[in-house]
Amino acid sequence: MQHPNILELPRSALLIIDMQEAFRASIKDFDKFVQRIVVAAKGAQLLKLPIVVTEQYPKGLGHTVAEIAEVLPADVALLEKTTFSSCGAQHFAEKLPQTDIKHVLVCGIEAHICVNQTVHDLLAAGYQAHLLNDGITSRNETDRKAALAKMLASGAISSSVEMALFELMRDAKHEQFKAIQGLIK
């Protein structure tokens, strides 16, 4: 029997929140977080997970950074928003409920604003929010830590890119095991 907090491959999706160019100069180790999200996006594709990407006011903040945008499937829509919660983006509500999604792997910025509000809205809507901690950051580490603590206290589940990918595969005999293993090395 599987614990209810373990990711289920056919019922999971990846959500990438606001990884936009304007934040690169103001977030310490931005490129490190970008690289973890690139691994998450590539792994999600190998495992055939739906991917949802949001952009906060792209007219002012620019679009999703090239490193991530380049590895996304061609059919991934970039959802523009002005609401802090991704759940408020036009068409967002249509992306997850149209499938049998239960688990949402969450990564992006900023932890204490858009990620925090999105996670709380996901939890309120009955989804499990799995925080890819190595893919979530803020301009200030104090804000990041406070956001992670609040989201966890509210019922979000702590995870990482590598943990989530291996949890989704469940077995070294999975057909994408070697490909996933190659991504994380």
Side-chain angles (χ1 to χ4, degrees):
M1 176 173 246
Q2 184 171 302
H3 190 280
N5 289 349
I6 295 291
L7 293 166
E8 299 172 68
L9 188 55
R11 300 191 69 202
S12 298
L14 174 65
L15 172 59
I16 302 172
I17 302 171
D18 306 345
M19 289 300 297
Q20 294 161 257
E21 194 58 49
F23 294 101
R24 189 182 298 270
S26 60
I27 293 180
K28 184 181 182 210
D29 296 329
F30 184 83
D31 292 336
K32 176 182 84 170
F33 289 96
V34 166
Q35 289 311 309
R36 296 311 299 159
I37 294 171
V38 164
V39 170
K42 287 180 176 181
Q45 288 177 75
L46 288 168
L47 298 172
K48 297 180 176 48
L49 294 183
I51 301 173
V52 179
V53 180
T54 63
E55 294 181 337
Q56 178 71 27
Y57 188 64
K59 193 181 294 184
L61 298 174
H63 290 286
T64 301
V65 296
E67 300 96 319
I68 294 171
E70 290 168 359
V71 301
L72 295 173
D75 64 343
V76 169
L78 302 177
L79 303 179
E80 293 185 17
K81 65 185 184 69
T82 57
T83 59
F84 298 125
S85 172
S86 296
C87 297
Q90 186 176 11
H91 305 298
F92 181 85
E94 300 165 9
K95 295 295 180 185
L96 297 180
Q98 68 185 0
T99 61
D100 192 26
I101 300 301
K102 174 184 174 188
H103 310 277
V104 181
L105 288 71
V106 179
C107 56
I109 54 180
E110 284 200 71
H112 62 296
I113 303 170
C114 296
V115 175
N116 172 62
Q117 291 184 38
T118 300
V119 164
H120 281 88
D121 285 350
L122 289 169
L123 294 170
Y127 295 101
Q128 281 189 347
H130 294 255
L131 306 177
L132 303 182
N133 294 322
D134 52 344
I136 297 173
T137 194
S138 291
R139 287 169 289 141
N140 182 309
E141 184 62 18
T142 302
D143 289 330
R144 179 181 184 271
K145 287 179 181 178
L148 291 173
K150 182 175 183 175
M151 291 182 286
L152 292 172
S154 295
I157 299 166
S158 183
S159 191
S160 69
V161 171
E162 184 173 342
M163 180 189 297
L165 293 174
F166 277 82
E167 203 169 290
L168 288 162
M169 288 187 296
R170 305 281 295 163
D171 193 317
K173 293 179 183 174
H174 189 282
E175 65 184 355
Q176 295 298 343
F177 174 74
K178 288 197 183 286
I180 298 284
Q181 191 177 39
L183 288 177
I184 60 165
K185 284 190 173 186

